[in-house]
């Protein structure tokens, strides 16, 4: 495991970009996941700037969505698809990059089709993941099975509080679809990004204690043979 302790948003985004750019330079036709949330926003700004100056390109890559809410009344409003369009724009949504959407559907045939697309790509070359306060990756909540693939999950109260602060319970989605731990653990490389409010506990659990623990799903990635963790250094102070 390679751990990069980056202090401050600029350093964090720069370290994450350096790792992603290195992977793309080694293999421009990567199949990868890109996460949502607050954590990668700086990375995506840097990535857009780097792509504009020709330093990096996702044009030969295949981007898989990591997760998506179900039951959003005004889909795509508030969805992860909308997030990715907003934060990645031309970097991914252009004529060249292959983008594989994870549709907000609980139809088993559609979920199986997503797994088939992952298999046809030869699995993930790079799983870029954020980490939830409770240690979830994608929407693999605590006690998700290691063998799980793309499926519907019930969101935990912790996650709903973190992602929908101040939003009426009735207006929060209760379910999501997510790529499973099997695909993330099975990726050829993993880039884990840890930053943000309320993450000190999970950062310390992952980086100072280690060891797999089903109640903290991100710990399943700790033994990965090619894991890079970029962590906001102040979380470990
Ligand atoms: C969400 C997403 C994850 C993301 C995590 C962390 O619930 N399902 O893919 O990594 O939360 O979000 P943030 O970066 O906003 O803390």
């Amino acid at each position: 495991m390679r751990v990069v302790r980056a202090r401050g948003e600029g350093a964090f985004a720069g370290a994450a970009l350096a790792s992603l750019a290195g992977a793309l330079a080694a293999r421009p036709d990567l199949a990868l996941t890109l996460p949502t949330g607050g954590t990668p926003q700086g990375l995506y700004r840097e990535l857009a700037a780097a792509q504009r100056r020709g330093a990096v390109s996702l044009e030969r890559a295949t981007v898989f969505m990591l997760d998506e809410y179900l039951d959003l009344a005004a889909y795509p409003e508030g969805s992860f698809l909308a997030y990715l369009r907003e934060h990645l724009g031309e970097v991914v949504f252009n004529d060249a990059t292959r983008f594989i959407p994870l549709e907000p559907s609980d139809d088993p045939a559609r979920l199986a089709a997503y797994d088939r697309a992952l298999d046809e790509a030869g699995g993930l070359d790079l799983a870029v993941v954020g980490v939830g306060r409770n240690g979830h990756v994608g929407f693999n909540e605590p006690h998700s099975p290691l063998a799980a693939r793309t499926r519907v999950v019930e969101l935990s109260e912790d996650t709903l509080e973190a992602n929908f602060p101040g939003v009426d319970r009735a207006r929060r989605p209760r379910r999501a679809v997510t790529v499973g731990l099997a695909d993330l653990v099975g990726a050829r490389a993993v880039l884990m990004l840890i930053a943000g409010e309320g993450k000190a506990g999970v950062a310390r659990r992952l980086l100072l204690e280690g060891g797999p623990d089903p109640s903290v799903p991100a710990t399943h990635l700790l033994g990965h043979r090619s894991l890079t963790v970029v962590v906001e250094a102040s979380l470990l102070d």
Side-chain angles (χ1 to χ4, degrees):
M1 165 165 69
R2 187 173 152 256
V3 180
V4 182
R5 298 181 182 216
R7 199 170 287 275
E9 279 175 29
F12 185 87
L17 178 65
S19 182
L20 177 56
L24 280 163
R27 181 160 183 184
D29 60 346
L30 278 181
L32 76 165
T33 55
L34 291 175
T36 55
T39 306
Q41 287 183 19
L43 163 64
Y44 295 159
R45 273 194 300 275
E46 293 294 322
L47 183 59
Q51 183 144 318
R52 275 195 299 275
R53 56 175 195 271
V56 65
S57 168
L58 283 172
E59 287 189 349
R60 291 177 57 197
T62 300
V63 176
F64 283 88
M65 284 179 69
L66 189 56
D67 45 16
E68 181 59 282
Y69 292 118
L70 281 176
D71 313 322
L72 283 175
Y75 178 85
E77 200 182 305
S79 68
F80 286 164
L81 177 63
Y83 170 103
L84 293 172
R85 284 188 183 282
E86 178 187 343
H87 292 280
L88 286 159
E90 284 284 299
V91 172
V92 168
F93 300 93
N94 55 56
D95 292 339
T97 305
R98 246 183 106 212
F99 176 75
I100 315 291
L102 183 51
E103 290 171 30
S105 166
D106 56 8
D107 176 354
R110 296 236 185 147
L111 298 169
Y114 202 76
D115 285 338
R116 250 191 335 273
L118 283 161
D119 292 341
E120 280 163 14
L124 293 168
D125 296 301
L126 176 65
V128 184
V129 295
V131 175
R133 293 180 202 177
N134 66 353
H136 70 236
V137 278
F139 271 134
N140 292 283
E141 292 278 33
H143 303 288
S144 289
L146 251 180
R149 300 205 64 198
T150 307
R151 70 199 187 289
V152 174
V153 291
E154 300 282 328
L155 297 173
S156 70
E157 282 304 319
D158 280 354
T159 297
L160 289 168
E161 272 307 310
N163 292 13
F164 296 92
V167 175
D168 216 63
R169 274 169 176 264
R171 293 186 48 237
R172 293 172 172 177
R174 309 287 311 174
R175 302 185 303 158
V177 282
T178 186
V179 168
L181 284 176
D183 293 273
L184 302 177
V185 171
R188 275 174 279 285
V190 177
L191 172 58
M192 182 187 288
L193 308 174
I194 313 174
E197 211 183 309
K199 299 284 181 72
V202 74
R204 302 180 82 82
R205 172 66 191 79
L206 286 164
L207 298 173
L208 304 183
E209 293 173 35
D213 173 353
S215 69
V216 187
T219 56
H220 288 303
L221 295 167
L222 290 175
H224 194 282
R225 64 191 181 286
S226 179
L227 169 65
T228 301
V229 180
V230 179
V231 58
E232 165 50 51
S234 60
L235 295 175
L236 300 172
D237 284 345

